[in-house]
Every structure is written in structure tokens, then in C-alpha cells.
Amino acid sequence: MSNASLNPSSTSDGQHALASYGWDEGWAAEFAPYAEQGLLPGRVVRVDRGQCDVITADGLVRADTAFVTPHDPLRVVCTGDWGAVDRVGDPRFVRTYLPRRTAFVRSTSSNRSEGQILAANVDHAIIAVSLAVELDLGRIERFLALAWESGAQPLVVLTKADLVPDVTGLSYLVQDVETTAPGVQVLPVSSATGEGVDVLAAVVSGGTSVLLGASGAGKSTLANALLGEDVMDVQATRDVDGKGRHTTTTRNLLALPGGGVLIDTPGLRGVGLWDAEAGVGQVFSEIEELAERCRFHDCAHDAEPGCAVLAAIEDGSLPERRLESYRKLLRENQRIVAKTDARVRAEILRDWKQKGAEGRAAMQAKRGRVR
């Protein structure tokens, strides 16, 4: 990581030096009680092994997170947090962090039903999707659900656009993603030619952005293009499947020369939902709007009469793939919530029993008619 990307310029008022990292009056008001305790505000730019790098008005400091080690993994210190740090000491400690405005969370791959926080206090969630391989619209929908749930504004960036020289073909790909991402800007970008980089830089200049995507999506190359220097390591992508290795192994927060802050993340192989029902609804907003016109308020969009969703599939205005993906993500989200919420588990059990009873009653009625 370049030290030039971390050291704030000196000013007469030290806290003004943090403005380029997102410090504002709101954060200052939140921090006031800790300032009275003699603590120093700083933004966490990297976390690893119980310690973190924090950018402060005095420069970059290394701090221990032992005072902020709760059992809840969603409350550990995370890249993007604003921390209250000791002014002096060896080692220094992060005593606490300010309440997060937004948080990007996914479920872990373990069987412990835990969430993992990837980035905090993010304004824009940049979802990098490589055009070197076939588009996986389902994966894009999954990233979008988590992004909307976090409270950030999603943005889909189609990287390696230079690999699709046909303008018409590229426009079709953009259109496919726009249909998958209602209300989200879709921007084709090429770090090799510079196409779209200036537009993206303008979008992210007004806040904190997190860069997300699978390995090989070109995130580190894109980060370098936005930074204007080779800060992030880049490795070649396999030609056979477009996949790459995890060139970024930690989450790093970097100030952009054109304004704004960027958090680069490792490539994500698994993107599990974590209590993201509202995010799923946002991704599939057209289905939710159609559902409001169904005859029955609890319509499952399966075979019910007067179902506006099924009618839209029949007339071709709603792709069947979208409904299948919507159902899949809702089921997955329900399962993960049920693992941690006894009330939801009870509701699911009641629903299963009710459907089982209805099925048995229907079967008995059918047998009665046969006789």
C-alpha cells in the first residue's frame, strides 16, 4: 500500500486533515464525548490479526483492537469504521468505534450461522463484473441484494469492456444487466483503454465506496486506475475461465486523488445473504410491485388465480428466470434468518404444518370423489 495514499495533508485544525477520508460535522458531533476523554479520532484503513492501521490527523498509527473484541462478529472493528484511539502509548488501543451509518454484511461459509462484516460506513457499493466471461445474472442479483440491504447505493461496473469491441454487442450486455438491476447505474469500464474510468471517478468522488466482486473481476486493476498509480498488486487472469487468484487478501481503505475514499476487498467466492429481505425486495422491485396487484395478499405466485406475477410471465413482460431467482434468494434468506431467530423458525414450522394439512385434505377429497 502506498504511504502517499494514507498520509493526510497537514492543516491548522488537525481534524480537517481527515476530511478527505470522510470526516464531517456529523462524525465530529458523534465523537465529541470521546474527544472530552482525550481520545483521537481516526478511520480504520486495514485490519489484521487483532490490530489495525488507523489514519488520524497525526498520520497513520498502528493500534490494538483488544478493547473491541465482542463475541458478536458483526461488532468487531472493521475497515471503514471511525475509531476512538489513544493519543499516546505503546501499543495504542482502539477504545471504541462510532455507530455505523451503513454496513455491508454477508453470511459466513461456516455452519455457525454468523454474519461477516466486509466494510463499514460505505456510500457506494461498486459491484465489479468481468466481461471476459459469460455474465452470471444470478450472482449480480445476489451482490445487489446485499448492497441494498447495507444502506449503500449500488453501482454495477462491467470491467474489461475492451474485450467486447462490438458496440452493439456491448450495449446488449449492458441492457441485460440493467434489466437485472432496476434503479442501478450500469457502467462499462476498461482499465486498459481508460473507457468509463473518468465517469466512475466522478461517481465515487463524493463519499466512501467499496469495491466488490469475484476473483478475476479486475477489481485491483480498477482500483489502480482510480488511484492513478499501481498501489494494488495485480495478477494475470486465467484465459480458460476468466478466474484469478486473490490478489487482494485484506480490505484496504484508500483516499482517491479526485476525492472520495475506496475500500478494496478480496475476491469473494461465496456471497451468502444475511438477513437481506429488504435488499432482495429492492432488487426484484418489479415483482414486488406486481404482487401488490395479485388477487390474494398472500399469493405465492405458484398457481393461484388472479396472480399478477404469473400473468406477467405469460405475456412475456417478466422473465421467468427473474421469478426463479427471486424465490431462490427469498428461501435462502429465510433459512439464514431462521437459524438465528426462534420466532421465524416457529413461523416456518407452522407454515409447513399448514401446507401439509392442506395437502392431506386435498388428497382425501380427491379420494372421496374417486369413490
Side-chain angles (χ1 to χ4, degrees):
M1 189 184 303
S2 168
N3 289 332
S5 300
L6 292 173
N7 293 329
S9 57
S10 59
T11 63
S12 57
D13 183 348
Q15 293 187 4
H16 289 174
L18 293 175
S20 60
Y21 287 85
W23 184 261
D24 56 30
E25 292 181 359
W27 290 123
E30 290 272 7
F31 192 80
Y34 304 108
E36 294 176 357
Q37 299 173 26
L39 297 174
L40 187 69
R43 194 160 195 192
V44 178
V45 299
R46 177 187 173 111
V47 178
D48 61 285
R49 297 181 181 179
Q51 293 189 316
C52 62
D53 294 331
V54 184
I55 189 69
T56 71
D58 295 338
L60 185 68
V61 302
R62 187 71 167 168
D64 197 298
T65 63
F67 281 90
V68 194
T69 54
H71 295 295
D72 184 352
L74 296 181
R75 299 182 64 185
V76 299
V77 174
C78 176
T79 302
D81 276 327
W82 284 100
V85 186
D86 294 330
R87 287 185 177 272
V88 296
D90 185 20
R92 293 193 187 187
F93 288 93
V94 176
R95 298 293 172 170
T96 188
Y97 59 81
L98 301 183
R100 294 161 176 159
R101 294 177 180 176
T102 63
F104 194 96
V105 180
R106 69 164 179 173
S107 66
T108 62
S109 57
S110 70
N111 295 320
R112 293 181 295 176
S113 304
E114 294 179 344
Q116 178 190 24
I117 182 165
L118 299 180
N121 302 313
V122 172
D123 301 295
H124 305 282
I126 305 172
I127 301 166
V129 180
S130 174
L131 291 177
V133 293
E134 185 177 355
L135 288 176
D136 185 342
L137 299 179
R139 176 180 283 270
I140 295 174
E141 289 163 343
R142 183 178 292 273
F143 270 112
L144 286 170
L146 292 176
W148 281 121
E149 190 69 31
S150 75
Q153 171 66 46
L155 168 66
V156 178
V157 173
L158 303 180
T159 65
K160 308 179 185 182
D162 54 291
L163 299 181
V164 187
D166 178 47
V167 176
T168 302
L170 180 60
S171 67
Y172 283 141
L173 292 172
V174 172
Q175 186 177 7
D176 286 344
V177 178
E178 286 176 339
T179 302
T180 300
V184 176
Q185 182 178 2
V186 179
L187 180 64
V189 169
S190 170
S191 300
T193 66
E195 175 189 355
V197 174
D198 56 340
V199 178
L200 179 59
V203 171
V204 302
S205 63
T208 298
S209 302
V210 61
L211 192 52
L212 305 157
S215 300
K219 298 188 304 302
S220 294
T221 303
L222 185 59
N224 286 337
L226 290 170
L227 290 163
E229 57 179 320
D230 291 338
V231 174
M232 310 306 297
D233 291 333
V234 177
Q235 294 189 21
T237 303
R238 297 193 305 233
D239 293 332
V240 63
D241 56 9
K243 294 182 180 179
R245 288 190 287 170
H246 294 297
T247 52
T248 302
T249 56
T250 59
R251 288 174 282 280
N252 304 292
L253 184 147
L254 304 155
L256 298 172
V261 176
L262 180 69
I263 299 176
D264 192 22
T265 65
L268 301 176
R269 289 192 179 94
V271 193
L273 299 185
W274 178 259
D275 197 5
E277 182 177 357
V280 173
Q282 186 74 34
V283 176
F284 299 93
S285 57
E286 80 277 30
I287 296 179
E288 302 246 314
E289 290 172 4
L290 285 168
E292 293 178 358
R293 303 204 297 266
C294 291
R295 182 182 303 176
F296 304 107
H297 74 278
D298 58 349
C299 183
H301 321 308
D302 188 12
E304 296 87 346
C307 176
V309 175
L310 294 180
I313 288 179
E314 290 178 4
D315 66 25
S317 58
L318 176 67
E320 188 170 358
R321 187 205 67 80
R322 286 280 285 172
L323 179 58
E324 292 175 355
S325 184
Y326 175 64
R327 287 169 170 164
K328 177 181 178 181
L329 292 183
L330 282 182
R331 286 195 302 268
E332 177 184 329
N333 189 72
Q334 188 179 48
R335 284 196 301 270
I336 194 67
V337 172
K339 289 181 179 180
T340 57
D341 191 321
R343 179 184 58 80
V344 174
R345 286 199 299 272
E347 289 177 355
I348 293 174
L349 182 58
R350 284 196 300 270
D351 184 55
W352 285 348
K353 288 182 177 179
Q354 181 180 349
K355 289 182 177 179
E358 291 173 352
R360 288 190 295 272
M363 182 62 69
Q364 290 174 359
K366 183 178 180 180
R367 289 173 178 171
R369 288 194 299 270
V370 170
R371 291 175 184 172

